[in-house]
């Protein structure tokens, strides 16, 4: 972290995201929701008061759950199972590489907005959360359980893409939790093994690709010397309509590879445009993909 | 299109490389930071097969700046668009006779000049062509024409002038033209000072040095008893000194009074003198045809001195005798009863003498006279004093003054003065005590009387001479109270205003003319006598 708390744009993103997120609730997948004992019903049998199922008695079962009525009628030892009460959890990974702050800071602000909105919506769903920052290493935001407006502003300064960190030193994801990754995904890697690892033991996985409007649809700039924000590598290119068309085609192929990989591992892939969040009072893209629902 | 300041265009040569250098060397690529080159790198993949032609990769901004710089430089250069209605080609044409000389190919210098003019780019592109004829007497503006109209005008020009006024006409055009206009001169000779031609002037000479024979002098002067003297000079310009066949015949009738080969001297010049008997009619003098036909024919009318009706009214009988004797000595007194055209008297008129006579000479007695022997201050250039010498004379000078303009003075005392009203009869005043004056025994007196008779004769309606030379002005008097002079020319009728009763006019064409008067006609002829124009050896071809 740095002194980016003074950055009004990212700070505004956090505040605006918190306010937007309070209108939503994180959608929890019922089929595979697991977690610690908590306030929400899980999919497995547990210790709640809600009846779940019957099964034959096995030695060691709690005799208090033996259904004596069934035993009296059928001389069978049947145990009543009750619904499990779980505490769902949101693991949200925010890509804090330098590319998230380029080509304009509006992209970083949108990333902060999305993160804050998801965190606030998770709170609305009585869901615990951990916000992970993928910087030089993947680390949890210290006070991510607090109000997002009180967070320290993320520092988008690292020159590493999060793919290698996720492969080799993944964060301590909560098993059966809801996982969300916010990044521009402008990495040169095969998404399938990465997504398999992310989706492993996850209740759901949502990949949010955040790009600026110019990155979505670049316009001709003439002869340009393009510099990679992270590596510093440069290429000389005449950004003419043909080059822009070629870029858009490459972006389309890139997105299709991520979409196919998401489908393969049951993840959801969402593309959002940074500028849209500052023009609208709704998080339509996240509603449409089923990540959030309006209260 | 032309430029007022063409040097400003050199700015284009300086600015354009600079702009190109800025784009190609320094600011060709603009730095832009992007999130990743992952997708852009795919946009720069080289073509698997080379393109046949690379597209222009300069940004539109470069083209816009190029356009702006070019526009600024061109504006600084002051372009002048020669629109159809604003540009003028001043065409100065030489209508002298030498332009009509026909070469061996059957074409005249004028035809070659017109053909050369058509090949000029400025002649084709300019649709406003102003034609000026550099006539011998001065420039004549034919008007502004289109290219086609100008060609028709040029083809219709009659080249018969006895000279040209190219330099004077060029000076006139230079003072009148717009700075962007061009001047084209069509002639058959080189400019007088080729190095001093302005840049916008093109001088095209289309002449050829051709051999030519010409009648360079033809005079018919009166002798006593009605006889005349005929003087003819023939010259050969180029092609040696071979004799020239000369034919002189009368008109009408056509009987030849001379038909022989005229020998020429080593300068190519031959003279013929003939004495013509009295009453010899019009003569036609011819030599053989050659390149220039205009100078091969001369018409000569009989031109005897005109007679004048004179009346002498002097109270002093001796002075009366002196005057009558001097008048008779001129041999030009008209016989018969007719109104006096010249009056000699010693009585001062109470009323103006207008209408009484053409001329009057009034003898005035000097008051308190003193005899002086000079010095005399005379207006020697006045026609009345032509050939009159007062040297050695004694003259009685009085204290009284004479009216009008003094022609002869002794100190501040006028002895001879002239009153010449615009349309009235002139009066000459002469201080004299009587027949005993030395003046009447000196040669100055008959000479003065002759000039007086000549002046009275010139007042008679008609031309002052009958054999005129083209390009030289002659004096014509009209009938009293006539406001204009009317002439029948070889190809029409000409009317000229004559507010003073007399005009000076140089007839433009050669040939026979008639001056129409109240009840009669006065014939005269105009001949082409112009040795410089006949000398075709001076013609040349060139461009300056």
């Amino acid at each position: 972290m740095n002194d980016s708390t003074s950055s009004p744009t990212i700070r505004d993103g956090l505040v605006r995201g918190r306010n937007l997120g309070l209108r939503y609730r994180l959608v929890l997948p019922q089929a595979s929701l697991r977690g610690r004992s908590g306030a929400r019903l899980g999919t497995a049998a547990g210790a709640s008061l809600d009846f779940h199922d019957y099964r034959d008695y096995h030695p060691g079962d709690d005799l208090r759950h033996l259904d004596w009525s069934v035993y009296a009628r059928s001389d069978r030892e049947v145990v009543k199972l009750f619904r499990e009460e779980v505490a769902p959890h949101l693991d949200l990974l925010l890509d804090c590489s330098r590319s998230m702050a380029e080509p304009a800071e509006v992209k970083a602000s949108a990333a902060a907005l999305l993160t804050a909105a998801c965190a606030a919506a998770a709170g609305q769903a009585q869901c615990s959360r951990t916000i992970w920052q993928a910087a030089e290493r993947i680390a949890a935001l210290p006070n991510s359980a607090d109000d997002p407006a009180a967070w320290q502003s993320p520092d988008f300064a690292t020159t590493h893409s999060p793919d290698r960190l996720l492969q080799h030193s993944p964060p301590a994801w909560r098993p059966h939790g809801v996982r969300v990754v916010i990044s521009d995904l402008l990495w040169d890697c095969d998404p399938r093994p990465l997504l398999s690892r992310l989706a492993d033991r996850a209740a759901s996985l949502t990949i949010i690709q955040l790009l600026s409007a110019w990155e979505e649809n670049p316009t001709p700039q003439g002869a340009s010397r393009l510099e990679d924000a992270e590596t510093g590598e440069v290429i000389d290119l005449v950004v003419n309509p043909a080059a822009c068309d070629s870029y858009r085609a490459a972006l389309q192929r890139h997105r299709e590879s991520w979409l196919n990989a998401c489908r393969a591992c049951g993840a959801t892939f969402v593309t959002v445009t940074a500028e849209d969040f500052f023009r609208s009072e709704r998080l339509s893209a996240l509603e449409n993909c089923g990540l959030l629902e309006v209260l | 299109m032309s430029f007022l300041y063409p040097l400003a265009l050199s700015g284009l040569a300086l600015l354009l490389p600079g702009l190109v250098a800025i784009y190609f060397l320094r600011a060709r690529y603009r730095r832009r930071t992007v999130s990743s080159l992952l997708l852009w790198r795919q946009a720069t993949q080289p073509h698997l097969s080379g393109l046949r032609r690379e597209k222009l990769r300069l940004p539109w901004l470069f083209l816009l700046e190029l356009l702006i710089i070019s526009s600024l430089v061109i504006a600084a250069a002051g372009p002048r668009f020669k629109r159809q209605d604003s540009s003028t080609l001043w065409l100065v044409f030489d209508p002298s006779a030498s332009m009509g000389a026909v070469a061996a190919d059957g074409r005249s210098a004028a035809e070659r000049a017109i053909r050369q003019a058509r090949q000029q780019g400025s002649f084709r592109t300019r649709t406003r062509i102003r034609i000026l004829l550099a006539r011998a007497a001065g420039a004549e503006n034919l008007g502004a024409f289109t290219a086609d109209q100008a060609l028709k005008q040029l083809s219709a020009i009659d080249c018969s002038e006895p000279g040209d006024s190219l330099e004077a006409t060029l000076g006139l055009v230079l003072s009148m033209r717009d700075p962007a206009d061009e001047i084209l001169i069509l002639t058959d000779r080189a400019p007088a000072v080729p190095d001093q031609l302005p840049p916008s002037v093109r001088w095209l000479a289309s002449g050829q040095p051709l051999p030519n024979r010409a009648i360079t002098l033809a005079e018919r002067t009166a002798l006593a008893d009605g006889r005349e003297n005929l003087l003819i000079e023939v010259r050969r310009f180029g092609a040696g000194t071979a004799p020239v066949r000369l034919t002189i015949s009368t008109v009408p009738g056509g009987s030849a009074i001379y038909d022989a080969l005229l020998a020429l001297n080593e300068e190519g010049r031959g003279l013929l003198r003939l004495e013509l008997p009295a009453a010899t009619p019009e003569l036609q003098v011819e030599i053989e045809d050659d390149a220039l036909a205009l100078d091969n024919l001369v018409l000569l009318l009989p031109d005897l001195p005109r007679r004048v009706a004179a009346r002498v009214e002097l109270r002093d009988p001796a002075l009366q005798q002196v005057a009558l004797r001097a008048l008779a000595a001129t041999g030009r007194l008209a016989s018969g009863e007719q109104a006096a055209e010249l009056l000699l008297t010693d009585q001062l008129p109470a009323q103006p003498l207008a209408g009484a006579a053409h001329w009057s000479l009034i003898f005035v007695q000097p008051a308190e006279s003193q005899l002086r022997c000079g010095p005399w201050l005379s207006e020697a250039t006045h026609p009345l004093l032509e050939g009159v010498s007062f040297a050695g004379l004694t003259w009685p000078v009085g204290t009284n003054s004479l009216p009008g303009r003094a022609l002869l003075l002794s100190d501040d005392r006028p002895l001879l003065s002239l009153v010449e009203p615009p349309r009235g009869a002139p009066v000459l005043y002469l201080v004299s005590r009587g027949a005993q004056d030395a003046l009447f025994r000196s040669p100055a007196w008959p000479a003065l009387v002759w000039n007086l008779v000549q002046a009275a004769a010139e007042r008679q309606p008609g031309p002052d001479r009958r054999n005129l030379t083209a390009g030289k002005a002659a004096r014509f008097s009209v009938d009293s109270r006539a406001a204009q002079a009317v002439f029948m020319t070889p190809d029409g009728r000409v009317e000229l205003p004559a507010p003073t009763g007399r005009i000076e006019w140089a007839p433009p064409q050669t040939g026979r003319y008639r001056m129409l008067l109240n009840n009669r006609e006065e014939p005269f002829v105009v001949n082409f006598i112009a040795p410089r124009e006949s000398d075709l050896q001076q013609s040349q071809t060139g461009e300056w």
Side-chain angles (χ1 to χ4, degrees), chain A residues 99 102 107 187 214-215 221 223-229 233 236-237 246-247 250-251 253, chain B residues 27-45 55 57 59:
Chain A
S99 67
E102 294 291 345
K107 190 174 164 187
W187 322 319
W214 192 82
E215 286 173 331
Q221 303 289 312
S224 303
R225 174 157 292 170
L226 303 181
E227 180 179 5
D228 193 305
E233 183 186 358
D236 291 335
L237 180 67
S246 178
Y247 171 91
L251 175 62
R253 289 194 299 271
Chain B
R28 184 169 184 183
Y29 295 104
R30 255 185 313 174
R31 183 174 290 270
R32 182 184 182 95
T33 303
V34 295
S35 299
S36 172
L37 294 178
L38 173 68
L39 303 175
W40 288 111
R41 197 174 286 116
Q42 297 179 41
T44 61
Q45 284 183 348
K55 277 188 173 180
R57 292 190 174 183

Side-chain angles (χ1 to χ4, degrees), chain B residues 344-375:
Chain B
L344 279 67
T345 181
D346 56 359
Q347 297 175 5
L348 289 172
Q351 300 293 329
L353 291 169
H358 291 161
W359 270 88
S360 299
L361 172 62
I362 298 178
F363 294 84
V364 180
Q365 283 288 333
E368 303 173 12
S369 69
Q370 293 179 337
L371 203 59
R372 291 191 182 179
C373 58

Side-chain angles (χ1 to χ4, degrees), chain B residues 494-516:
Chain B
V494 172
E495 296 181 359
L496 300 174
T500 63
R502 305 185 73 195
I503 62 167
E504 284 201 355
W505 180 47
Q509 295 174 274
T510 58
R512 292 184 178 83
Y513 288 72
R514 285 176 294 145
M515 184 177 183
L516 304 184

Side-chain angles (χ1 to χ4, degrees), chain A residues 169-201:
Chain A
S169 54
W173 303 112
R174 185 81 59 86
H176 310 294
V178 176
R179 296 174 188 174
V180 175
V181 175
I182 299 174
S183 171
D184 55 11
L185 303 182
L186 297 178
W187 322 319
D188 190 12
C189 73
D190 185 0
R192 285 179 183 269
L194 178 66
L195 290 179
S196 297
R197 193 176 183 92
L198 288 176
D200 182 36
R201 300 173 61 197

Side-chain angles (χ1 to χ4, degrees), chain A residues 156-179:
Chain A
F156 299 93
T158 186
T159 57
H160 303 296
S161 299
D163 53 336
R164 285 199 301 175
L165 293 173
L166 288 171
Q167 289 280 9
H168 299 110
S169 54
W173 303 112
R174 185 81 59 86
H176 310 294
V178 176
R179 296 174 188 174

Side-chain angles (χ1 to χ4, degrees), chain A residues 90-103:
Chain A
L90 169 67
D91 282 310
L92 188 147
L93 178 77
L94 176 61
D95 179 2
C96 287
S97 63
R98 191 177 289 168
S99 67
M100 290 295 285
E102 294 291 345

